[in-house]
Amino acid sequence: MPAAAKHNVNQEEASLRSLVEKSDNEFIPLTMGGNGRTHVASENLIHLMSDITVKDLQQMTDRFYEKAFQDATLDKFIRSHSDPHGSRFAKWIHQKLADSTVWDDDRANRDQHPIRLAEGQKYVVHDRTSAHVAAWHSAKRPSKEVGRHFQLDECRVWMRLHFWALRESGLMEKRPAFADYYVRFIAHFVRVYESTAPQFARDSLRWSESAKNIQKYESNDRKMTDVLELTLGEALSQIPQSEAEDLEWPYNQRGTNEIEIYFEA
């Protein structure tokens, strides 16, 4: 490579690194389009994601599915453990946060063979929405639950395991600002399935930090009995009042000390 071209490449790399380091010290708010309902990858978020790869994200998503397969609540939604769940989830996250096309590219080549649902119907899973429909109608669910959408307690279990996997993946240490953004990103998307679930995202992250919580969960046959089948009022009594009454988060446009809170012992 000619010296001038190499110099330009080095300058571009240094500039990109500067932007990434800057983003790690800045709060990046969620950017919403579509009348405030659609997540949009902002320029600052794309810079933050510039050195977070699909492989990095799959370190988290594979760990999440390993936990979900063993979980008494979540595994009932998962038809097969052999499908590439972790890879697909990682690509979806990357496309949403980095504005890539990796998930669309993967989806274009996905197996279109139908699966069989609990009621015996054949159904083709081809995207995120159809995957969740298949989960609601999973043959592994008790007949009285087939077709029922995700409930608050199930969303809390999902977030606890997912944030536990986030911690294990090393992404929190690699990019604290990513962790801060990602928790709010998940809170936004979980609202689609249960409108009250976002209020519990921060609590789910705190749960995932406690070795005592995890040990108790594992010794209880991987059932989170402290959250299962609670009323909304009972669930809200388990989180700080400030979070239960916070109608702005996760769409707040100014940062707090949340990153520091995530790392509390």
Side-chain angles (χ1 to χ4, degrees):
M1 179 183 294
K6 184 175 182 180
H7 176 71
N8 288 337
V9 169
N10 290 339
Q11 278 191 323
E12 290 175 2
E13 290 178 350
S15 177
L16 181 59
R17 170 53 55 190
S18 176
L19 287 167
V20 170
E21 290 174 351
K22 181 180 178 183
S23 68
D24 252 349
N25 293 307
E26 290 184 352
F27 174 78
I28 303 176
L30 295 182
T31 300
M32 307 303 296
N35 296 319
R37 301 183 65 181
T38 304
H39 176 269
V40 177
S42 67
E43 183 178 350
N44 285 341
L45 176 60
I46 293 170
H47 286 317
L48 176 65
M49 292 294 297
S50 60
D51 68 342
I52 296 178
T53 65
V54 172
K55 184 177 180 180
D56 291 330
L57 294 169
Q58 194 169 339
Q59 291 289 322
M60 170 180 64
T61 55
D62 280 347
R63 283 175 167 82
F64 165 69
Y65 276 105
E66 288 171 6
K67 300 177 192 308
F69 293 158
Q70 301 174 72
D71 182 78
T73 300
L74 298 189
D75 188 51
K76 293 182 292 184
F77 291 102
I78 304 171
R79 181 188 66 87
S80 171
H81 292 183
S82 62
D83 289 339
H85 300 289
S87 173
R88 289 172 179 170
F89 191 10
K91 290 173 183 176
W92 179 81
I93 296 167
H94 193 272
Q95 179 159 316
K96 288 293 182 182
L97 300 186
D99 199 31
S100 69
T101 62
V102 291
W103 187 68
D104 284 340
D105 295 342
D106 178 81
R107 201 159 57 93
N109 297 305
R110 188 171 299 183
D111 184 357
Q112 296 294 309
H113 285 90
I115 63 169
R116 194 170 295 278
L117 304 180
E119 301 92 340
Q121 316 98 299
K122 291 183 177 180
Y123 187 73
V124 175
V125 177
H126 59 89
D127 61 7
R128 187 170 61 97
T129 300
S130 58
H132 288 138
V133 170
W136 298 331
H137 293 269
S138 169
K140 293 165 68 175
R141 301 186 77 187
S143 57
K144 64 180 181 180
E145 296 179 8
V146 170
R148 190 187 74 187
H149 291 200
F150 303 124
Q151 304 295 294
L152 174 59
D153 55 354
E154 294 159 346
C155 292
R156 293 181 73 185
V157 171
W158 189 97
M159 288 191 290
R160 284 178 170 190
L161 294 186
H162 191 55
F163 295 147
W164 178 12
L166 168 64
R167 291 184 184 279
E168 288 188 340
S169 72
L171 281 170
M172 290 188 75
E173 290 76 15
K174 179 177 181 177
R175 283 286 175 267
F178 167 82
D180 176 70
Y181 190 94
Y182 188 68
V183 172
R184 287 178 284 119
F185 170 78
I186 290 297
H188 162 69
F189 271 98
V190 78
R191 186 187 301 275
V192 175
Y193 307 108
E194 169 50 51
S195 63
T196 62
Q199 294 163 287
F200 297 88
R202 287 170 284 189
D203 177 72
S204 297
L205 184 63
R206 288 190 296 269
W207 179 92
S208 72
E209 188 177 24
S210 168
K212 183 178 179 180
N213 286 340
I214 292 169
Q215 183 179 22
K216 182 178 180 181
Y217 161 70
E218 291 178 332
S219 64
N220 196 38
D221 296 326
R222 296 182 182 265
K223 296 178 182 177
M224 296 189 188
T225 53
D226 60 316
V227 303
L228 294 175
E229 300 184 4
L230 298 184
T231 66
L232 176 58
E234 290 169 336
L236 287 170
S237 72
Q238 294 179 324
I239 65 175
Q241 185 177 357
S242 60
E243 294 179 8
E245 297 176 351
D246 188 349
L247 300 180
E248 183 183 11
W249 194 90
Y251 305 105
N252 48 303
Q253 294 298 299
R254 294 186 177 182
T256 65
N257 63 342
E258 285 169 359
I259 293 179
E260 288 75 16
I261 290 172
Y262 295 164
F263 286 95
E264 282 184 353

Tab-separated table of all heavy atoms in Angstrom, residues 1-57:
chain	number	residue	atom	x	y	z
A	1	MET	N	0.853	-1.198	0.000
A	1	MET	CA	0.000	0.000	0.000
A	1	MET	C	0.882	1.239	0.000
A	1	MET	O	1.813	1.346	0.800
A	1	MET	CB	-0.899	0.002	1.244
A	1	MET	CG	-1.819	1.228	1.340
A	1	MET	SD	-2.794	1.241	2.877
A	1	MET	CE	-3.826	-0.203	2.613
A	2	PRO	N	0.616	2.197	-0.916
A	2	PRO	CA	1.392	3.434	-0.934
A	2	PRO	C	1.314	4.151	0.403
A	2	PRO	O	0.327	4.062	1.123
A	2	PRO	CB	0.712	4.247	-2.044
A	2	PRO	CG	0.014	3.235	-2.898
A	2	PRO	CD	-0.387	2.138	-1.978
A	3	ALA	N	2.393	4.891	0.727
A	3	ALA	CA	2.475	5.554	2.024
A	3	ALA	C	1.317	6.511	2.259
A	3	ALA	O	0.754	6.587	3.354
A	3	ALA	CB	3.807	6.298	2.135
A	4	ALA	N	0.924	7.253	1.206
A	4	ALA	CA	-0.161	8.233	1.349
A	4	ALA	C	-1.482	7.542	1.663
A	4	ALA	O	-2.252	7.982	2.517
A	4	ALA	CB	-0.286	9.069	0.081
A	5	ALA	N	-1.732	6.434	0.942
A	5	ALA	CA	-2.982	5.703	1.170
A	5	ALA	C	-3.010	5.098	2.570
A	5	ALA	O	-4.032	5.113	3.256
A	5	ALA	CB	-3.138	4.601	0.115
A	6	LYS	N	-1.835	4.553	2.993
A	6	LYS	CA	-1.756	3.971	4.331
A	6	LYS	C	-1.993	5.035	5.392
A	6	LYS	O	-2.662	4.801	6.395
A	6	LYS	CB	-0.381	3.326	4.518
A	6	LYS	CG	-0.233	2.595	5.850
A	6	LYS	CD	1.106	1.869	5.925
A	6	LYS	CE	1.228	1.112	7.238
A	6	LYS	NZ	2.518	0.401	7.323
A	7	HIS	N	-1.452	6.230	5.136
A	7	HIS	CA	-1.647	7.342	6.074
A	7	HIS	C	-3.128	7.696	6.187
A	7	HIS	O	-3.640	7.926	7.289
A	7	HIS	CB	-0.854	8.561	5.599
A	7	HIS	CG	-1.068	9.784	6.446
A	7	HIS	ND1	-0.575	9.895	7.733
A	7	HIS	CD2	-1.759	10.936	6.194
A	7	HIS	CE1	-0.932	11.067	8.235
A	7	HIS	NE2	-1.647	11.717	7.322
A	8	ASN	N	-3.826	7.700	5.042
A	8	ASN	CA	-5.255	8.019	5.058
A	8	ASN	C	-6.052	6.973	5.813
A	8	ASN	O	-6.988	7.294	6.549
A	8	ASN	CB	-5.786	8.141	3.629
A	8	ASN	CG	-5.293	9.394	2.940
A	8	ASN	OD1	-4.926	10.367	3.595
A	8	ASN	ND2	-5.270	9.365	1.607
A	9	VAL	N	-5.699	5.700	5.601
A	9	VAL	CA	-6.380	4.619	6.313
A	9	VAL	C	-6.166	4.755	7.814
A	9	VAL	O	-7.092	4.628	8.614
A	9	VAL	CB	-5.880	3.243	5.821
A	9	VAL	CG1	-6.397	2.140	6.740
A	9	VAL	CG2	-6.334	3.003	4.386
A	10	ASN	N	-4.924	5.029	8.207
A	10	ASN	CA	-4.633	5.192	9.634
A	10	ASN	C	-5.395	6.373	10.225
A	10	ASN	O	-5.865	6.313	11.374
A	10	ASN	CB	-3.128	5.391	9.836
A	10	ASN	CG	-2.331	4.129	9.565
A	10	ASN	OD1	-2.887	3.029	9.596
A	10	ASN	ND2	-1.046	4.271	9.304
A	11	GLN	N	-5.519	7.442	9.452
A	11	GLN	CA	-6.272	8.598	9.920
A	11	GLN	C	-7.742	8.248	10.109
A	11	GLN	O	-8.376	8.657	11.089
A	11	GLN	CB	-6.135	9.756	8.921
A	11	GLN	CG	-4.857	10.568	9.073
A	11	GLN	CD	-4.921	11.844	8.248
A	11	GLN	OE1	-5.467	11.852	7.144
A	11	GLN	NE2	-4.373	12.911	8.795
A	12	GLU	N	-8.305	7.488	9.160
A	12	GLU	CA	-9.704	7.087	9.260
A	12	GLU	C	-9.920	6.185	10.474
A	12	GLU	O	-10.906	6.322	11.195
A	12	GLU	CB	-10.134	6.352	7.982
A	12	GLU	CG	-10.236	7.265	6.770
A	12	GLU	CD	-10.536	6.503	5.511
A	12	GLU	OE1	-10.703	5.275	5.595
A	12	GLU	OE2	-10.609	7.128	4.431
A	13	GLU	N	-8.981	5.246	10.709
A	13	GLU	CA	-9.096	4.359	11.862
A	13	GLU	C	-9.001	5.147	13.162
A	13	GLU	O	-9.745	4.885	14.111
A	13	GLU	CB	-8.013	3.278	11.805
A	13	GLU	CG	-8.216	2.258	10.698
A	13	GLU	CD	-7.107	1.234	10.655
A	13	GLU	OE1	-6.091	1.432	11.365
A	13	GLU	OE2	-7.253	0.240	9.920
A	14	ALA	N	-8.091	6.116	13.203
A	14	ALA	CA	-7.934	6.932	14.404
A	14	ALA	C	-9.177	7.779	14.645
A	14	ALA	O	-9.627	7.935	15.789
A	14	ALA	CB	-6.704	7.836	14.274
A	15	SER	N	-9.752	8.289	13.577
A	15	SER	CA	-10.969	9.089	13.699
A	15	SER	C	-12.123	8.243	14.206
A	15	SER	O	-12.890	8.659	15.078
A	15	SER	CB	-11.325	9.703	12.344
A	15	SER	OG	-12.525	10.424	12.417
A	16	LEU	N	-12.252	7.033	13.669
A	16	LEU	CA	-13.313	6.134	14.092
A	16	LEU	C	-13.132	5.752	15.550
A	16	LEU	O	-14.085	5.744	16.336
A	16	LEU	CB	-13.316	4.881	13.211
A	16	LEU	CG	-14.397	3.841	13.511
A	16	LEU	CD1	-15.782	4.457	13.367
A	16	LEU	CD2	-14.252	2.647	12.564
A	17	ARG	N	-11.891	5.435	15.942
A	17	ARG	CA	-11.607	5.082	17.334
A	17	ARG	C	-11.963	6.232	18.272
A	17	ARG	O	-12.531	6.029	19.342
A	17	ARG	CB	-10.129	4.706	17.477
A	17	ARG	CG	-9.628	4.538	18.916
A	17	ARG	CD	-10.456	3.577	19.731
A	17	ARG	NE	-10.572	2.282	19.090
A	17	ARG	CZ	-11.399	1.337	19.501
A	17	ARG	NH1	-12.191	1.545	20.522
A	17	ARG	NH2	-11.445	0.175	18.880
A	18	SER	N	-11.663	7.459	17.826
A	18	SER	CA	-11.993	8.626	18.636
A	18	SER	C	-13.496	8.740	18.839
A	18	SER	O	-13.969	9.043	19.936
A	18	SER	CB	-11.457	9.891	17.970
A	18	SER	OG	-11.853	11.041	18.683
A	19	LEU	N	-14.265	8.475	17.779
A	19	LEU	CA	-15.717	8.549	17.874
A	19	LEU	C	-16.260	7.468	18.807
A	19	LEU	O	-17.181	7.704	19.585
A	19	LEU	CB	-16.341	8.401	16.489
A	19	LEU	CG	-16.188	9.603	15.557
A	19	LEU	CD1	-16.563	9.207	14.137
A	19	LEU	CD2	-17.056	10.759	16.042
A	20	VAL	N	-15.700	6.251	18.728
A	20	VAL	CA	-16.131	5.165	19.607
A	20	VAL	C	-15.849	5.501	21.060
A	20	VAL	O	-16.695	5.343	21.945
A	20	VAL	CB	-15.441	3.837	19.221
A	20	VAL	CG1	-15.704	2.772	20.273
A	20	VAL	CG2	-15.924	3.374	17.854
A	21	GLU	N	-14.620	5.995	21.340
A	21	GLU	CA	-14.255	6.338	22.713
A	21	GLU	C	-15.126	7.480	23.232
A	21	GLU	O	-15.542	7.486	24.395
A	21	GLU	CB	-12.779	6.714	22.773
A	21	GLU	CG	-11.855	5.518	22.553
A	21	GLU	CD	-10.401	5.919	22.476
A	21	GLU	OE1	-10.128	7.139	22.425
A	21	GLU	OE2	-9.542	5.016	22.471
A	22	LYS	N	-15.437	8.427	22.355
A	22	LYS	CA	-16.305	9.529	22.751
A	22	LYS	C	-17.694	9.010	23.095
A	22	LYS	O	-18.299	9.413	24.088
A	22	LYS	CB	-16.392	10.555	21.624
A	22	LYS	CG	-17.262	11.771	21.973
A	22	LYS	CD	-17.305	12.744	20.800
A	22	LYS	CE	-18.202	13.935	21.131
A	22	LYS	NZ	-18.319	14.862	19.984
A	23	SER	N	-18.213	8.078	22.292
A	23	SER	CA	-19.549	7.559	22.533
A	23	SER	C	-19.619	6.780	23.829
A	23	SER	O	-20.672	6.703	24.462
A	23	SER	CB	-20.002	6.663	21.365
A	23	SER	OG	-19.245	5.478	21.298
A	24	ASP	N	-18.486	6.190	24.263
A	24	ASP	CA	-18.476	5.453	25.515
A	24	ASP	C	-18.574	6.379	26.716
A	24	ASP	O	-18.820	5.925	27.820
A	24	ASP	CB	-17.202	4.597	25.621
A	24	ASP	CG	-17.502	3.123	25.466
A	24	ASP	OD1	-18.694	2.766	25.494
A	24	ASP	OD2	-16.561	2.337	25.311
A	25	ASN	N	-18.332	7.658	26.513
A	25	ASN	CA	-18.413	8.619	27.603
A	25	ASN	C	-19.621	9.529	27.469
A	25	ASN	O	-19.758	10.494	28.210
A	25	ASN	CB	-17.131	9.462	27.642
A	25	ASN	CG	-15.924	8.621	28.031
A	25	ASN	OD1	-15.934	7.947	29.047
A	25	ASN	ND2	-14.903	8.649	27.195
A	26	GLU	N	-20.493	9.233	26.520
A	26	GLU	CA	-21.670	10.040	26.295
A	26	GLU	C	-22.926	9.181	26.374
A	26	GLU	O	-22.921	8.017	25.987
A	26	GLU	CB	-21.608	10.717	24.916
A	26	GLU	CG	-20.564	11.813	24.805
A	26	GLU	CD	-20.632	12.510	23.454
A	26	GLU	OE1	-21.381	12.028	22.587
A	26	GLU	OE2	-19.932	13.518	23.283
A	27	PHE	N	-23.988	9.803	26.861
A	27	PHE	CA	-25.279	9.142	26.882
A	27	PHE	C	-25.886	9.203	25.481
A	27	PHE	O	-25.916	10.259	24.851
A	27	PHE	CB	-26.199	9.854	27.877
A	27	PHE	CG	-27.604	9.333	27.879
A	27	PHE	CD1	-27.922	8.150	28.525
A	27	PHE	CD2	-28.606	10.027	27.220
A	27	PHE	CE1	-29.223	7.665	28.515
A	27	PHE	CE2	-29.915	9.552	27.211
A	27	PHE	CZ	-30.220	8.372	27.865
A	28	ILE	N	-26.349	8.057	24.983
A	28	ILE	CA	-26.976	8.000	23.665
A	28	ILE	C	-28.447	7.677	23.869
A	28	ILE	O	-28.792	6.560	24.254
A	28	ILE	CB	-26.319	6.942	22.767
A	28	ILE	CG1	-24.823	7.213	22.616
A	28	ILE	CG2	-26.999	6.914	21.396
A	28	ILE	CD1	-24.092	6.147	21.823
A	29	PRO	N	-29.329	8.634	23.633
A	29	PRO	CA	-30.758	8.359	23.820
A	29	PRO	C	-31.300	7.488	22.705
A	29	PRO	O	-30.735	7.432	21.608
A	29	PRO	CB	-31.389	9.754	23.784
A	29	PRO	CG	-30.464	10.558	22.942
A	29	PRO	CD	-29.078	10.025	23.221
A	30	LEU	N	-32.384	6.785	22.978
A	30	LEU	CA	-33.081	6.068	21.922
A	30	LEU	C	-33.612	7.078	20.920
A	30	LEU	O	-34.163	8.114	21.292
A	30	LEU	CB	-34.251	5.268	22.494
A	30	LEU	CG	-33.952	4.113	23.462
A	30	LEU	CD1	-35.250	3.430	23.854
A	30	LEU	CD2	-32.984	3.112	22.871
A	31	THR	N	-33.453	6.770	19.649
A	31	THR	CA	-33.999	7.604	18.589
A	31	THR	C	-35.193	6.872	17.990
A	31	THR	O	-35.079	5.727	17.565
A	31	THR	CB	-32.951	7.873	17.495
A	31	THR	OG1	-31.821	8.536	18.084
A	31	THR	CG2	-33.518	8.736	16.390
A	32	MET	N	-36.326	7.558	17.977
A	32	MET	CA	-37.557	6.913	17.545
A	32	MET	C	-38.112	7.585	16.301
A	32	MET	O	-38.087	8.809	16.152
A	32	MET	CB	-38.600	6.973	18.665
A	32	MET	CG	-38.115	6.448	20.007
A	32	MET	SD	-37.508	4.742	19.935
A	32	MET	CE	-39.012	3.893	19.477
A	33	GLY	N	-38.606	6.774	15.377
A	33	GLY	CA	-39.299	7.263	14.195
A	33	GLY	C	-40.702	6.672	14.160
A	33	GLY	O	-41.154	6.063	15.124
A	34	GLY	N	-41.397	6.841	13.033
A	34	GLY	CA	-42.725	6.242	12.903
A	34	GLY	C	-43.682	6.659	13.995
A	34	GLY	O	-44.250	5.810	14.688
A	35	ASN	N	-43.834	7.965	14.191
A	35	ASN	CA	-44.709	8.497	15.236
A	35	ASN	C	-44.284	8.059	16.634
A	35	ASN	O	-45.099	7.849	17.522
A	35	ASN	CB	-46.166	8.084	14.988
A	35	ASN	CG	-46.733	8.676	13.714
A	35	ASN	OD1	-46.487	9.839	13.408
A	35	ASN	ND2	-47.471	7.874	12.957
A	36	GLY	N	-42.970	7.890	16.793
A	36	GLY	CA	-42.433	7.562	18.109
A	36	GLY	C	-42.492	6.105	18.477
A	36	GLY	O	-42.219	5.743	19.625
A	37	ARG	N	-42.774	5.232	17.517
A	37	ARG	CA	-42.938	3.812	17.840
A	37	ARG	C	-41.848	2.925	17.254
A	37	ARG	O	-41.731	1.771	17.618
A	37	ARG	CB	-44.304	3.327	17.341
A	37	ARG	CG	-45.476	4.083	17.937
A	37	ARG	CD	-46.811	3.534	17.473
A	37	ARG	NE	-47.019	2.173	17.941
A	37	ARG	CZ	-48.099	1.452	17.656
A	37	ARG	NH1	-49.035	1.958	16.870
A	37	ARG	NH2	-48.237	0.225	18.124
A	38	THR	N	-41.063	3.451	16.322
A	38	THR	CA	-40.068	2.644	15.609
A	38	THR	C	-38.661	3.059	15.998
A	38	THR	O	-38.296	4.232	15.902
A	38	THR	CB	-40.246	2.804	14.085
A	38	THR	OG1	-41.586	2.468	13.734
A	38	THR	CG2	-39.268	1.904	13.338
A	39	HIS	N	-37.857	2.088	16.427
A	39	HIS	CA	-36.474	2.370	16.794
A	39	HIS	C	-35.653	2.668	15.544
A	39	HIS	O	-35.750	1.979	14.528
A	39	HIS	CB	-35.865	1.168	17.530
A	39	HIS	CG	-34.421	1.328	17.853
A	39	HIS	ND1	-33.415	0.905	17.016
A	39	HIS	CD2	-33.809	1.892	18.927
A	39	HIS	CE1	-32.251	1.182	17.564
A	39	HIS	NE2	-32.460	1.776	18.720
A	40	VAL	N	-34.828	3.716	15.636
A	40	VAL	CA	-33.959	4.121	14.531
A	40	VAL	C	-32.522	4.176	15.035
A	40	VAL	O	-32.259	4.712	16.114
A	40	VAL	CB	-34.375	5.515	13.995
A	40	VAL	CG1	-33.419	5.970	12.903
A	40	VAL	CG2	-35.809	5.493	13.488
A	41	ALA	N	-31.609	3.615	14.267
A	41	ALA	CA	-30.185	3.655	14.637
A	41	ALA	C	-29.625	5.037	14.336
A	41	ALA	O	-29.531	5.436	13.170
A	41	ALA	CB	-29.403	2.586	13.886
A	42	SER	N	-29.271	5.775	15.368
A	42	SER	CA	-28.714	7.114	15.181
A	42	SER	C	-27.245	7.031	14.781
A	42	SER	O	-26.601	5.979	14.908
A	42	SER	CB	-28.842	7.918	16.473
A	42	SER	OG	-28.017	7.359	17.487
A	43	GLU	N	-26.699	8.150	14.327
A	43	GLU	CA	-25.293	8.196	13.936
A	43	GLU	C	-24.389	7.861	15.118
A	43	GLU	O	-23.419	7.099	14.979
A	43	GLU	CB	-24.946	9.572	13.381
A	43	GLU	CG	-23.504	9.689	12.887
A	43	GLU	CD	-23.203	11.053	12.298
A	43	GLU	OE1	-24.144	11.836	12.095
A	43	GLU	OE2	-22.009	11.318	12.040
A	44	ASN	N	-24.708	8.394	16.295
A	44	ASN	CA	-23.891	8.104	17.471
A	44	ASN	C	-23.953	6.634	17.851
A	44	ASN	O	-22.948	6.045	18.265
A	44	ASN	CB	-24.347	8.964	18.656
A	44	ASN	CG	-23.915	10.400	18.533
A	44	ASN	OD1	-22.999	10.727	17.781
A	44	ASN	ND2	-24.586	11.285	19.272
A	45	LEU	N	-25.130	6.032	17.713
A	45	LEU	CA	-25.255	4.605	18.020
A	45	LEU	C	-24.443	3.774	17.028
A	45	LEU	O	-23.763	2.818	17.416
A	45	LEU	CB	-26.726	4.193	17.983
A	45	LEU	CG	-27.004	2.705	18.187
A	45	LEU	CD1	-26.487	2.220	19.542
A	45	LEU	CD2	-28.497	2.416	18.056
A	46	ILE	N	-24.506	4.122	15.764
A	46	ILE	CA	-23.741	3.387	14.752
A	46	ILE	C	-22.243	3.483	15.042
A	46	ILE	O	-21.505	2.501	14.903
A	46	ILE	CB	-24.084	3.899	13.346
A	46	ILE	CG1	-25.534	3.553	13.007
A	46	ILE	CG2	-23.135	3.312	12.307
A	46	ILE	CD1	-26.044	4.211	11.739
A	47	HIS	N	-21.781	4.654	15.474
A	47	HIS	CA	-20.377	4.790	15.862
A	47	HIS	C	-20.060	3.885	17.050
A	47	HIS	O	-19.011	3.228	17.085
A	47	HIS	CB	-20.066	6.242	16.212
A	47	HIS	CG	-19.984	7.160	15.030
A	47	HIS	ND1	-19.349	6.817	13.866
A	47	HIS	CD2	-20.471	8.421	14.850
A	47	HIS	CE1	-19.439	7.817	12.998
A	47	HIS	NE2	-20.113	8.798	13.571
A	48	LEU	N	-20.939	3.850	18.027
A	48	LEU	CA	-20.730	2.985	19.191
A	48	LEU	C	-20.619	1.524	18.777
A	48	LEU	O	-19.820	0.763	19.333
A	48	LEU	CB	-21.885	3.167	20.179
A	48	LEU	CG	-21.877	2.252	21.416
A	48	LEU	CD1	-20.676	2.549	22.307
A	48	LEU	CD2	-23.170	2.403	22.205
A	49	MET	N	-21.410	1.128	17.784
A	49	MET	CA	-21.451	-0.264	17.343
A	49	MET	C	-20.338	-0.615	16.370
A	49	MET	O	-20.242	-1.770	15.949
A	49	MET	CB	-22.804	-0.543	16.677
A	49	MET	CG	-23.987	-0.515	17.608
A	49	MET	SD	-23.946	-1.855	18.821
A	49	MET	CE	-24.049	-3.286	17.738
A	50	SER	N	-19.484	0.328	16.023
A	50	SER	CA	-18.524	0.111	14.943
A	50	SER	C	-17.533	-1.003	15.220
A	50	SER	O	-16.988	-1.590	14.283
A	50	SER	CB	-17.773	1.410	14.622
A	50	SER	OG	-17.061	1.866	15.762
A	51	ASP	N	-17.258	-1.283	16.495
A	51	ASP	CA	-16.353	-2.411	16.755
A	51	ASP	C	-17.032	-3.486	17.590
A	51	ASP	O	-16.369	-4.293	18.231
A	51	ASP	CB	-15.048	-1.939	17.405
A	51	ASP	CG	-15.240	-1.426	18.820
A	51	ASP	OD1	-16.395	-1.111	19.184
A	51	ASP	OD2	-14.245	-1.339	19.566
A	52	ILE	N	-18.354	-3.522	17.560
A	52	ILE	CA	-19.108	-4.627	18.153
A	52	ILE	C	-19.662	-5.455	16.993
A	52	ILE	O	-20.487	-4.985	16.213
A	52	ILE	CB	-20.246	-4.118	19.056
A	52	ILE	CG1	-19.660	-3.360	20.247
A	52	ILE	CG2	-21.107	-5.289	19.549
A	52	ILE	CD1	-20.700	-2.764	21.179
A	53	THR	N	-19.188	-6.659	16.878
A	53	THR	CA	-19.511	-7.495	15.730
A	53	THR	C	-20.683	-8.429	16.039
A	53	THR	O	-21.099	-8.579	17.192
A	53	THR	CB	-18.297	-8.356	15.347
A	53	THR	OG1	-18.025	-9.270	16.428
A	53	THR	CG2	-17.057	-7.494	15.105
A	54	VAL	N	-21.178	-9.064	14.994
A	54	VAL	CA	-22.202	-10.092	15.177
A	54	VAL	C	-21.660	-11.200	16.081
A	54	VAL	O	-22.377	-11.735	16.942
A	54	VAL	CB	-22.644	-10.665	13.820
A	54	VAL	CG1	-23.557	-11.875	14.023
A	54	VAL	CG2	-23.347	-9.602	12.994
A	55	LYS	N	-20.388	-11.519	15.912
A	55	LYS	CA	-19.771	-12.555	16.754
A	55	LYS	C	-19.793	-12.146	18.226
A	55	LYS	O	-20.062	-12.971	19.106
A	55	LYS	CB	-18.332	-12.806	16.295
A	55	LYS	CG	-17.634	-13.930	17.054
A	55	LYS	CD	-16.235	-14.172	16.497
A	55	LYS	CE	-15.528	-15.296	17.252
A	55	LYS	NZ	-14.157	-15.521	16.711
A	56	ASP	N	-19.500	-10.872	18.502
A	56	ASP	CA	-19.568	-10.379	19.884
A	56	ASP	C	-20.979	-10.550	20.441
A	56	ASP	O	-21.166	-10.992	21.581
A	56	ASP	CB	-19.192	-8.896	19.940
A	56	ASP	CG	-17.732	-8.634	19.645
A	56	ASP	OD1	-16.899	-9.510	19.951
A	56	ASP	OD2	-17.423	-7.554	19.102
A	57	LEU	N	-21.967	-10.162	19.646
A	57	LEU	CA	-23.356	-10.249	20.094
A	57	LEU	C	-23.789	-11.703	20.274
A	57	LEU	O	-24.561	-12.026	21.181
A	57	LEU	CB	-24.264	-9.547	19.090
A	57	LEU	CG	-24.059	-8.036	18.976
A	57	LEU	CD1	-24.818	-7.490	17.770
A	57	LEU	CD2	-24.485	-7.320	20.247
